[in-house]
Amino acid sequence: MKDVQFGELPFLKYDHNVWTCAYSPDGTSFTVALSDGNINVYATSNWERTWILSGHSQNVSSVAYSPNGDQVVSGSHDRTVRVWDVTTGDCLYIFIGHTSQVYTVTYSPQGNVIASRDGDGTIRFWDMESRDCRSIISGYGFISDMAFSPKGDNVAFGSSDLSVRIWDVGSGECRSILIGHTAGALSIAYTTHGDLLMSKDWHNVARVWEVESGACRCIVNGYGYAVLSPKGNQIALHSPHEEGVKLWDIETGLCIRRLSGHKGGICRVVYSPQGDQLVSGDSDLVVRLWDVETGECRHTMTGHTGTVTKVLFSPKGDYIVSVGYDNTVRLWNVGSGFSRQIPRYHSGGVMCLEYSPKRNQVASCGMDPMIRLWEAETGVYKRTLTGHSDRVNKISYSPHEDLLGSCSHDTTVRLWNVESGACLHTLVGHTDAVYNVAFSSRGDQIASAGPDNTVRLWNVNTGECQHILIGHISSTIWYVTYSPQGDRVASAGMDGVVKLWDVETGACQHTLTGHSRGIQRIVYSPNGNQIASASNDRTVRLWDVKTGMCSHIFIGHQNDVIRVVYSPQGHQVASASYDDDKTVRLWDTTSGECLHTLVGHEKDIDAIAYSPRGGLIASWSDTGEARLWDIETGDCCWNLDYDGSTRPGGYLLIHPFAWLTPDVDSFITGCSDGSVRRWDVTREEDQCRVQMRWTSANGQLTVEGACVQDAQGLSDLNKRLLKQRGATGEPSVRLHEASKNVMRMASVVSKLKSSTSNTEALNLSSTSPAISLTRHSEQQTEQATDARTLED
C-alpha cells in the first residue's frame, strides 16, 4: 500500500512477531512486546523509541501499565513476571514462582497488587509493597482469562470446570460462583461501573451476569467473538459464519445494528473508551472505525500485509493502533474531527444507484446499512438515511420522486420522505432478506420480494400489506417489477418461472414456463406488451404478456445470462453474461436475430444500460472495467480499466449503474470501494470522450518516487511517513522565508488518486504542520505536472 491516508502516522516495523501492546493510562507512553523477549517503549508525542527493555528469555505474552503510568509489568513464556521503570528503563523486580508460561499480567486499579495467570491454571497475586506473593488461586482446571473489577476488590476468572468465579482479593476467598456455561469460559470482562460481568465460553455462548446477585441477565449463542460495551448496554458480536459485526441490545435481547463492510474473517473488535465508536480488524488486512449509534463506517484504514491480530484505542479514544502478522504496528489519528465527519463513501461495494430527474438527485445504497443522497450535478452530499440494521440491497424512487423505497438483509422494507429524510413506514412481514422493491406506476403501491418465496404488495399511504403472493416453488425470488400500466406485477426467481399477478386481486394470471434453470432478471418492454427474462440456462426469452406464450428464445451466450434490458424504443434487447463469456449481445425483438456480440470485457459484467437517447449502451463491472458501445455498429467507443476492489459478494443483486438526463449523455457508477462517480459523455465523430465530473471517494496522496528534497515545514512524523511511502531526498530542516505562508515545492510531482469536486486540504497527519495539496477533479490531477504548494 503506497498511498498516504488522512490521519496516518509512520508505522513501527519489527524483525520479530509482535505479541501484544499497551498504552499508558495518560496516553503519553506506548509499549510493544515482541517474541524475542524484548519490550519497546515509545513516547507518543513523536513516536520515538525511548527504551528497549531486555531481560526475558522467551516471548513476552502480556504487558500492562501501572495506574499512574510510571511502571510496566510483563509476563513471559520464560515463566517470570518483571516490573520495569518506564522513566529509567530499569528492571525493578522479578517475580518467580510460576511453573508454566505466563499468559496474562495486570495491575489492580489501585496499583498495589499485580495478578498473573499461567498455563497451569494458576493465578498469583503479588504485593507491590512487600514484593511477596500474597495468595494463589489454583485447582479449578485451566484458567483462560481474568479481570479485576473497577474497584479492584475482586478478580473474576473463568476456568475449564465450566464456572465463572468472583474472588475477593483482600480475603483470598471465593465470593461467588456463576454457573450456566456448558464449556470453559474463554473471556471475561467487567463493565465500567462494575455492576455487570460478561463471560464467553468455548461453545460460543456469551452470558452477561449481575455481579451483586449472580443472576444471568442475557444469553447470546453462536458467536465466536463477543465484546461488552463500556456502559454494559450492548454486546458486539461476530460469527465466522456471518459477515460483519452485530450489535446486540442487552435489555431487549435484539440485534439493533449490523456493521457490514469487512470481506474477511473479523479477528478483533474493541469499543472506544467512551463506547460511542468501535474498531474492527480482519483477515482482509483492513481496519474499520464504526459509529455505534448510526452503524456508519467512519474510516477505513489499510496498509497491513498480514492478518490484523489486535486493535486498540488510546485512553482518550483519539488514536487507533493495529497489529498484524506482518510484524508491524500501525498508528492512526482519528481524533482530529475526521472520524466524526459524514463519510462520502459506502463501507463496502455499492449495490444500487437510482436517479431522480425532478430533483436532479442520485440515491445510492451499498454493503452497509446506509442510503446516501447526492446532488447529481455537483456531487454535493445531501444526507444519509439511517434505519436499516443490515446491508441495503435495492432502492427505488416513487413515480412522483417524493418517496424512496428500500429493502434490506434485515428483512424489512422502508419508505422514506426524500425531502426530510424521515422514515415514513417500516414494512415488516418478510421472514428473510428482501432483495428487490419496485413502485407501481401510480405510486400508490410498492412490491417486495426475496428468499422467503413470497412477493408482498404494500399500500404506500398506510404501510399495510395488501397481498402476499405465493406460488414460486421453494426458491429465492430475485426480481419483481410492475408493468408500465401498473395493473400487473411480474416476479421471477430460482425456480425458473415468471409469474404475472393482478395487483388488485393478487391472483396469478400467467405462469411463464420454459427456462430450465433459475431466472436472474425480468424486464417489461416500454409499451408493456412483452417481458424479457434472463436465465442461468444461458438463454433470453421474450414473452407475450396477453397470452403468456414465448415469442422468441435468444441462444448464443456461453454461460449464465445475468442481465437483460430493453432499448428505449423497445426494438432491441441487450443481454449480458459472465465468467468465461463476458459478452453483451444485442437482439432484434421482432426477428429474434442477434445484431451484435460486444466482446472486450476481461472482468465480470455487473450492469448494462441503454443511454436515454438509445444510441449507446454501457456495460460496467464494479471491480474496475467500463465500456460504451455504439448500438448501430457494435463498436466499443470508450473503455475504462482500473484496479477495483474484490467483489463484495451477492453479485446477483448488484446494479451499480444509471444513466442521467435524456438531453445529455451522463451516467453514474458505483464501485466495490464504496465510491459513487458521475461521468459526462461527448460524441466526437465515431469516438466518445468521457470525463469524470465528480467522485465521492476520499482523497489519498501518492508519493512513491516523489522527491521531497526542497520540502519545508514538514514535521518529523511526516518526514518518516513520506520515507516509508517511497519518497526520496531529505526535506529542509527550517523555513528560509518564514514570512511567507505559502511556498513552492518545485520538485514534488504527485497526484491525488481519488478526489471530490470541492476544494479541500489533505493533511498527512493532523497532529502537526504537513504537506497540504489542493484537491482537483480526477481529470485535472492526471494531467497536472506543475509544482504543488506547501503550506506552513
Side-chain angles (χ1 to χ4, degrees), residues 186-233:
L186 176 62
S187 59
I188 300 287
Y190 278 96
T191 58
T192 304
H193 300 296
D195 55 334
L196 297 177
L197 176 75
M198 190 195 75
S199 57
K200 191 193 79 69
D201 65 27
W202 290 94
H203 287 171
N204 294 336
V205 177
R207 290 174 175 262
V208 178
W209 311 86
E210 294 179 0
V211 173
E212 191 63 34
S213 67
C216 182
R217 178 180 289 188
C218 177
I219 303 174
V220 183
N221 295 299
Y223 294 91
Y225 202 86
V227 181
L228 188 64
S229 67
K231 297 177 182 178
N233 61 328

Short mmCIF file of all heavy atoms in Angstrom, two decimals, residues 186-233:
data_model
loop_
_atom_site.label_atom_id
_atom_site.label_comp_id
_atom_site.label_asym_id
_atom_site.label_seq_id
_atom_site.Cartn_x
_atom_site.Cartn_y
_atom_site.Cartn_z
N LEU A 186 -13.96 -18.62 28.08
CA LEU A 186 -12.78 -18.21 27.31
C LEU A 186 -12.36 -16.78 27.60
O LEU A 186 -11.18 -16.45 27.61
CB LEU A 186 -13.08 -18.38 25.82
CG LEU A 186 -12.03 -17.94 24.81
CD1 LEU A 186 -10.76 -18.75 24.99
CD2 LEU A 186 -12.56 -18.09 23.39
N SER A 187 -13.34 -15.88 27.81
CA SER A 187 -13.02 -14.48 28.04
C SER A 187 -13.91 -13.90 29.13
O SER A 187 -15.06 -14.34 29.31
CB SER A 187 -13.18 -13.66 26.75
OG SER A 187 -14.51 -13.76 26.26
N ILE A 188 -13.38 -12.90 29.85
CA ILE A 188 -14.05 -12.28 30.98
C ILE A 188 -13.91 -10.76 30.85
O ILE A 188 -12.83 -10.27 30.50
CB ILE A 188 -13.42 -12.71 32.32
CG1 ILE A 188 -13.53 -14.22 32.51
CG2 ILE A 188 -14.06 -11.96 33.49
CD1 ILE A 188 -14.91 -14.73 32.81
N ALA A 189 -14.98 -10.01 31.14
CA ALA A 189 -14.89 -8.55 31.10
C ALA A 189 -15.93 -7.91 31.99
O ALA A 189 -17.09 -8.35 32.01
CB ALA A 189 -15.06 -8.04 29.66
N TYR A 190 -15.52 -6.89 32.74
CA TYR A 190 -16.43 -6.07 33.55
C TYR A 190 -16.87 -4.86 32.74
O TYR A 190 -16.14 -4.38 31.86
CB TYR A 190 -15.73 -5.57 34.81
CG TYR A 190 -15.68 -6.54 35.98
CD1 TYR A 190 -14.56 -7.33 36.19
CD2 TYR A 190 -16.74 -6.62 36.88
CE1 TYR A 190 -14.49 -8.20 37.27
CE2 TYR A 190 -16.68 -7.48 37.96
CZ TYR A 190 -15.55 -8.28 38.15
OH TYR A 190 -15.50 -9.12 39.23
N THR A 191 -18.05 -4.32 33.10
CA THR A 191 -18.43 -3.01 32.58
C THR A 191 -17.66 -1.93 33.36
O THR A 191 -17.03 -2.21 34.38
CB THR A 191 -19.94 -2.76 32.75
OG1 THR A 191 -20.28 -2.87 34.13
CG2 THR A 191 -20.75 -3.75 31.95
N THR A 192 -17.74 -0.69 32.89
CA THR A 192 -17.02 0.41 33.53
C THR A 192 -17.44 0.60 34.99
O THR A 192 -16.61 0.88 35.86
CB THR A 192 -17.27 1.72 32.75
OG1 THR A 192 -16.88 1.53 31.39
CG2 THR A 192 -16.46 2.86 33.34
N HIS A 193 -18.72 0.42 35.26
CA HIS A 193 -19.22 0.62 36.62
C HIS A 193 -19.06 -0.63 37.48
O HIS A 193 -19.25 -0.56 38.70
CB HIS A 193 -20.68 1.06 36.59
CG HIS A 193 -20.91 2.34 35.86
ND1 HIS A 193 -20.38 3.54 36.28
CD2 HIS A 193 -21.60 2.61 34.72
CE1 HIS A 193 -20.74 4.50 35.44
NE2 HIS A 193 -21.47 3.96 34.48
N GLY A 194 -18.77 -1.76 36.87
CA GLY A 194 -18.54 -2.98 37.63
C GLY A 194 -19.78 -3.71 38.08
O GLY A 194 -19.68 -4.69 38.83
N ASP A 195 -20.97 -3.28 37.64
CA ASP A 195 -22.20 -3.95 38.07
C ASP A 195 -22.52 -5.17 37.22
O ASP A 195 -23.30 -6.03 37.63
CB ASP A 195 -23.37 -2.97 38.04
CG ASP A 195 -23.54 -2.31 36.67
OD1 ASP A 195 -22.55 -2.21 35.91
OD2 ASP A 195 -24.67 -1.91 36.35
N LEU A 196 -21.93 -5.23 36.01
CA LEU A 196 -22.18 -6.36 35.12
C LEU A 196 -20.85 -7.01 34.74
O LEU A 196 -19.80 -6.36 34.70
CB LEU A 196 -22.91 -5.92 33.85
CG LEU A 196 -24.32 -5.33 34.01
CD1 LEU A 196 -24.85 -4.88 32.66
CD2 LEU A 196 -25.26 -6.35 34.64
N LEU A 197 -20.94 -8.30 34.42
CA LEU A 197 -19.77 -9.08 34.02
C LEU A 197 -20.19 -9.95 32.84
O LEU A 197 -21.28 -10.55 32.86
CB LEU A 197 -19.31 -9.97 35.17
CG LEU A 197 -18.15 -10.93 34.92
CD1 LEU A 197 -16.83 -10.16 34.87
CD2 LEU A 197 -18.08 -11.99 36.00
N MET A 198 -19.36 -9.99 31.79
CA MET A 198 -19.65 -10.85 30.64
C MET A 198 -18.62 -11.96 30.56
O MET A 198 -17.41 -11.73 30.74
CB MET A 198 -19.65 -10.07 29.33
CG MET A 198 -20.20 -10.89 28.16
SD MET A 198 -19.83 -10.19 26.54
CE MET A 198 -18.10 -10.60 26.38
N SER A 199 -19.08 -13.16 30.27
CA SER A 199 -18.19 -14.30 30.04
C SER A 199 -18.62 -15.01 28.76
O SER A 199 -19.81 -15.10 28.46
CB SER A 199 -18.24 -15.27 31.23
OG SER A 199 -19.57 -15.71 31.46
N LYS A 200 -17.64 -15.47 27.98
CA LYS A 200 -17.94 -16.23 26.76
C LYS A 200 -17.17 -17.54 26.80
O LYS A 200 -15.98 -17.55 27.15
CB LYS A 200 -17.56 -15.44 25.51
CG LYS A 200 -18.09 -16.07 24.22
CD LYS A 200 -17.46 -15.48 22.98
CE LYS A 200 -16.09 -16.05 22.74
NZ LYS A 200 -16.12 -17.48 22.35
N ASP A 201 -17.86 -18.63 26.44
CA ASP A 201 -17.22 -19.93 26.57
C ASP A 201 -16.76 -20.49 25.23
O ASP A 201 -16.95 -19.88 24.17
CB ASP A 201 -18.13 -20.92 27.31
CG ASP A 201 -19.41 -21.24 26.53
OD1 ASP A 201 -19.42 -21.14 25.29
OD2 ASP A 201 -20.41 -21.60 27.18
N TRP A 202 -16.16 -21.67 25.29
CA TRP A 202 -15.61 -22.32 24.09
C TRP A 202 -16.69 -22.80 23.13
O TRP A 202 -16.39 -23.11 21.98
CB TRP A 202 -14.71 -23.48 24.49
CG TRP A 202 -13.44 -23.05 25.14
CD1 TRP A 202 -13.19 -22.93 26.48
CD2 TRP A 202 -12.24 -22.65 24.48
NE1 TRP A 202 -11.91 -22.48 26.70
CE2 TRP A 202 -11.30 -22.31 25.49
CE3 TRP A 202 -11.85 -22.55 23.15
CZ2 TRP A 202 -10.01 -21.87 25.19
CZ3 TRP A 202 -10.57 -22.12 22.86
CH2 TRP A 202 -9.66 -21.79 23.87
N HIS A 203 -17.94 -22.86 23.58
CA HIS A 203 -19.06 -23.22 22.70
C HIS A 203 -19.71 -21.99 22.07
O HIS A 203 -20.81 -22.07 21.54
CB HIS A 203 -20.11 -24.02 23.48
CG HIS A 203 -19.68 -25.42 23.80
ND1 HIS A 203 -20.39 -26.25 24.65
CD2 HIS A 203 -18.61 -26.15 23.39
CE1 HIS A 203 -19.78 -27.42 24.75
NE2 HIS A 203 -18.70 -27.38 24.00
N ASN A 204 -19.04 -20.86 22.16
CA ASN A 204 -19.52 -19.60 21.57
C ASN A 204 -20.83 -19.12 22.18
O ASN A 204 -21.70 -18.58 21.50
CB ASN A 204 -19.66 -19.72 20.05
CG ASN A 204 -18.34 -19.92 19.36
OD1 ASN A 204 -17.29 -19.55 19.90
ND2 ASN A 204 -18.35 -20.54 18.19
N VAL A 205 -20.96 -19.33 23.49
CA VAL A 205 -22.11 -18.82 24.23
C VAL A 205 -21.62 -17.70 25.15
O VAL A 205 -20.71 -17.91 25.96
CB VAL A 205 -22.80 -19.91 25.06
CG1 VAL A 205 -23.95 -19.32 25.87
CG2 VAL A 205 -23.32 -21.02 24.14
N ALA A 206 -22.21 -16.51 25.01
CA ALA A 206 -21.86 -15.38 25.86
C ALA A 206 -22.97 -15.16 26.88
O ALA A 206 -24.16 -15.21 26.56
CB ALA A 206 -21.66 -14.12 25.02
N ARG A 207 -22.56 -14.92 28.12
CA ARG A 207 -23.51 -14.66 29.21
C ARG A 207 -23.15 -13.34 29.89
O ARG A 207 -21.97 -13.07 30.12
CB ARG A 207 -23.51 -15.79 30.24
CG ARG A 207 -24.11 -17.09 29.72
CD ARG A 207 -23.97 -18.23 30.72
NE ARG A 207 -24.65 -19.42 30.26
CZ ARG A 207 -25.86 -19.80 30.62
NH1 ARG A 207 -26.53 -19.06 31.51
NH2 ARG A 207 -26.41 -20.90 30.15
N VAL A 208 -24.18 -12.56 30.21
CA VAL A 208 -24.00 -11.32 30.97
C VAL A 208 -24.60 -11.53 32.35
O VAL A 208 -25.78 -11.90 32.48
CB VAL A 208 -24.65 -10.12 30.26
CG1 VAL A 208 -24.50 -8.86 31.09
CG2 VAL A 208 -24.03 -9.92 28.87
N TRP A 209 -23.78 -11.30 33.39
CA TRP A 209 -24.18 -11.59 34.77
C TRP A 209 -24.30 -10.29 35.57
O TRP A 209 -23.53 -9.35 35.38
CB TRP A 209 -23.13 -12.48 35.46
CG TRP A 209 -22.70 -13.69 34.70
CD1 TRP A 209 -21.72 -13.75 33.76
CD2 TRP A 209 -23.21 -15.01 34.83
NE1 TRP A 209 -21.58 -15.03 33.29
CE2 TRP A 209 -22.49 -15.84 33.94
CE3 TRP A 209 -24.20 -15.59 35.63
CZ2 TRP A 209 -22.72 -17.20 33.80
CZ3 TRP A 209 -24.44 -16.95 35.50
CH2 TRP A 209 -23.72 -17.73 34.60
N GLU A 210 -25.26 -10.28 36.50
CA GLU A 210 -25.31 -9.23 37.50
C GLU A 210 -24.36 -9.61 38.63
O GLU A 210 -24.51 -10.67 39.25
CB GLU A 210 -26.73 -9.07 38.04
CG GLU A 210 -27.72 -8.56 36.99
CD GLU A 210 -29.12 -8.44 37.55
OE1 GLU A 210 -29.32 -8.75 38.75
OE2 GLU A 210 -30.03 -8.03 36.79
N VAL A 211 -23.37 -8.77 38.88
CA VAL A 211 -22.30 -9.13 39.83
C VAL A 211 -22.85 -9.30 41.24
O VAL A 211 -22.47 -10.22 41.97
CB VAL A 211 -21.18 -8.07 39.79
CG1 VAL A 211 -20.15 -8.33 40.89
CG2 VAL A 211 -20.51 -8.05 38.42
N GLU A 212 -23.75 -8.42 41.64
CA GLU A 212 -24.23 -8.46 43.01
C GLU A 212 -25.07 -9.70 43.30
O GLU A 212 -24.87 -10.39 44.30
CB GLU A 212 -25.05 -7.19 43.30
CG GLU A 212 -25.38 -6.98 44.77
CD GLU A 212 -24.15 -6.79 45.63
OE1 GLU A 212 -23.16 -6.19 45.14
OE2 GLU A 212 -24.17 -7.25 46.79
N SER A 213 -26.00 -9.99 42.40
CA SER A 213 -26.92 -11.10 42.65
C SER A 213 -26.46 -12.42 42.05
O SER A 213 -26.90 -13.49 42.46
CB SER A 213 -28.31 -10.76 42.09
OG SER A 213 -28.26 -10.67 40.67
N GLY A 214 -25.57 -12.34 41.04
CA GLY A 214 -25.13 -13.55 40.35
C GLY A 214 -26.11 -14.03 39.31
O GLY A 214 -25.91 -15.09 38.69
N ALA A 215 -27.19 -13.26 39.08
CA ALA A 215 -28.19 -13.66 38.09
C ALA A 215 -27.68 -13.45 36.68
O ALA A 215 -26.95 -12.48 36.40
CB ALA A 215 -29.47 -12.85 38.29
N CYS A 216 -28.06 -14.35 35.78
CA CYS A 216 -27.69 -14.23 34.36
C CYS A 216 -28.73 -13.37 33.67
O CYS A 216 -29.90 -13.73 33.58
CB CYS A 216 -27.61 -15.60 33.71
SG CYS A 216 -27.10 -15.53 31.98
N ARG A 217 -28.33 -12.21 33.22
CA ARG A 217 -29.28 -11.27 32.62
C ARG A 217 -29.52 -11.56 31.14
O ARG A 217 -30.61 -11.33 30.63
CB ARG A 217 -28.75 -9.84 32.78
CG ARG A 217 -29.64 -8.80 32.14
CD ARG A 217 -29.11 -7.39 32.30
NE ARG A 217 -29.21 -6.91 33.67
CZ ARG A 217 -28.96 -5.64 34.02
NH1 ARG A 217 -28.59 -4.76 33.10
NH2 ARG A 217 -29.06 -5.27 35.28
N CYS A 218 -28.51 -12.06 30.44
CA CYS A 218 -28.64 -12.21 28.98
C CYS A 218 -27.77 -13.36 28.51
O CYS A 218 -26.68 -13.58 29.03
CB CYS A 218 -28.23 -10.89 28.31
SG CYS A 218 -28.24 -10.91 26.51
N ILE A 219 -28.27 -14.11 27.53
CA ILE A 219 -27.52 -15.20 26.90
C ILE A 219 -27.56 -15.02 25.39
O ILE A 219 -28.64 -14.85 24.81
CB ILE A 219 -28.09 -16.59 27.27
CG1 ILE A 219 -28.11 -16.79 28.79
CG2 ILE A 219 -27.28 -17.70 26.60
CD1 ILE A 219 -28.80 -18.07 29.22
N VAL A 220 -26.41 -15.06 24.75
CA VAL A 220 -26.33 -14.95 23.29
C VAL A 220 -25.52 -16.13 22.77
O VAL A 220 -24.42 -16.40 23.25
CB VAL A 220 -25.67 -13.63 22.85
CG1 VAL A 220 -25.68 -13.52 21.34
CG2 VAL A 220 -26.37 -12.44 23.48
N ASN A 221 -26.09 -16.85 21.79
CA ASN A 221 -25.46 -18.07 21.28
C ASN A 221 -24.88 -17.90 19.88
O ASN A 221 -25.38 -17.10 19.09
CB ASN A 221 -26.50 -19.21 21.22
CG ASN A 221 -27.00 -19.60 22.59
OD1 ASN A 221 -26.23 -20.03 23.43
ND2 ASN A 221 -28.29 -19.44 22.81
N GLY A 222 -23.84 -18.67 19.59
CA GLY A 222 -23.39 -18.85 18.22
C GLY A 222 -22.38 -17.85 17.70
O GLY A 222 -22.16 -17.77 16.49
N TYR A 223 -21.73 -17.08 18.58
CA TYR A 223 -20.79 -16.07 18.12
C TYR A 223 -19.40 -16.34 18.67
O TYR A 223 -19.21 -16.51 19.87
CB TYR A 223 -21.27 -14.67 18.52
CG TYR A 223 -22.54 -14.29 17.81
CD1 TYR A 223 -23.78 -14.56 18.37
CD2 TYR A 223 -22.49 -13.72 16.54
CE1 TYR A 223 -24.95 -14.23 17.70
CE2 TYR A 223 -23.65 -13.39 15.86
CZ TYR A 223 -24.88 -13.65 16.44
OH TYR A 223 -26.03 -13.34 15.76
N GLY A 224 -18.43 -16.39 17.76
CA GLY A 224 -17.06 -16.72 18.14
C GLY A 224 -16.35 -15.59 18.83
O GLY A 224 -15.35 -15.80 19.51
N TYR A 225 -16.87 -14.36 18.66
CA TYR A 225 -16.22 -13.20 19.28
C TYR A 225 -17.29 -12.33 19.90
O TYR A 225 -18.29 -12.01 19.26
CB TYR A 225 -15.42 -12.42 18.23
CG TYR A 225 -14.34 -11.56 18.83
CD1 TYR A 225 -13.08 -12.08 19.10
CD2 TYR A 225 -14.58 -10.22 19.15
CE1 TYR A 225 -12.09 -11.29 19.65
CE2 TYR A 225 -13.59 -9.44 19.71
CZ TYR A 225 -12.35 -9.98 19.96
OH TYR A 225 -11.37 -9.20 20.52
N ALA A 226 -17.12 -11.96 21.15
CA ALA A 226 -18.10 -11.13 21.86
C ALA A 226 -17.37 -10.11 22.72
O ALA A 226 -16.43 -10.45 23.44
CB ALA A 226 -19.01 -11.99 22.72
N VAL A 227 -17.81 -8.83 22.64
CA VAL A 227 -17.19 -7.75 23.40
C VAL A 227 -18.29 -6.95 24.07
O VAL A 227 -19.26 -6.54 23.42
CB VAL A 227 -16.35 -6.83 22.51
CG1 VAL A 227 -15.70 -5.73 23.32
CG2 VAL A 227 -15.29 -7.63 21.78
N LEU A 228 -18.16 -6.71 25.35
CA LEU A 228 -19.12 -5.93 26.10
C LEU A 228 -18.78 -4.45 26.00
O LEU A 228 -17.61 -4.06 26.15
CB LEU A 228 -19.10 -6.38 27.57
CG LEU A 228 -20.16 -5.81 28.51
CD1 LEU A 228 -21.54 -6.26 28.09
CD2 LEU A 228 -19.87 -6.27 29.94
N SER A 229 -19.79 -3.61 25.76
CA SER A 229 -19.55 -2.17 25.68
C SER A 229 -19.21 -1.63 27.07
O SER A 229 -19.59 -2.21 28.09
CB SER A 229 -20.79 -1.45 25.12
OG SER A 229 -21.86 -1.55 26.03
N PRO A 230 -18.51 -0.48 27.16
CA PRO A 230 -18.13 0.07 28.47
C PRO A 230 -19.33 0.35 29.38
O PRO A 230 -19.24 0.18 30.59
CB PRO A 230 -17.41 1.37 28.10
CG PRO A 230 -16.88 1.14 26.72
CD PRO A 230 -17.92 0.28 26.04
N LYS A 231 -20.45 0.76 28.78
CA LYS A 231 -21.63 1.06 29.59
C LYS A 231 -22.42 -0.19 29.96
O LYS A 231 -23.31 -0.14 30.81
CB LYS A 231 -22.55 2.04 28.84
CG LYS A 231 -21.92 3.40 28.59
CD LYS A 231 -22.86 4.28 27.79
CE LYS A 231 -22.22 5.63 27.48
NZ LYS A 231 -23.11 6.48 26.65
N GLY A 232 -22.13 -1.29 29.28
CA GLY A 232 -22.82 -2.53 29.58
C GLY A 232 -24.19 -2.67 28.95
O GLY A 232 -24.94 -3.58 29.29
N ASN A 233 -24.53 -1.80 28.00
CA ASN A 233 -25.85 -1.88 27.37
C ASN A 233 -25.83 -2.64 26.06
O ASN A 233 -26.88 -2.93 25.49
CB ASN A 233 -26.39 -0.46 27.12
CG ASN A 233 -25.49 0.35 26.20
OD1 ASN A 233 -24.26 0.17 26.21
ND2 ASN A 233 -26.06 1.23 25.41
#
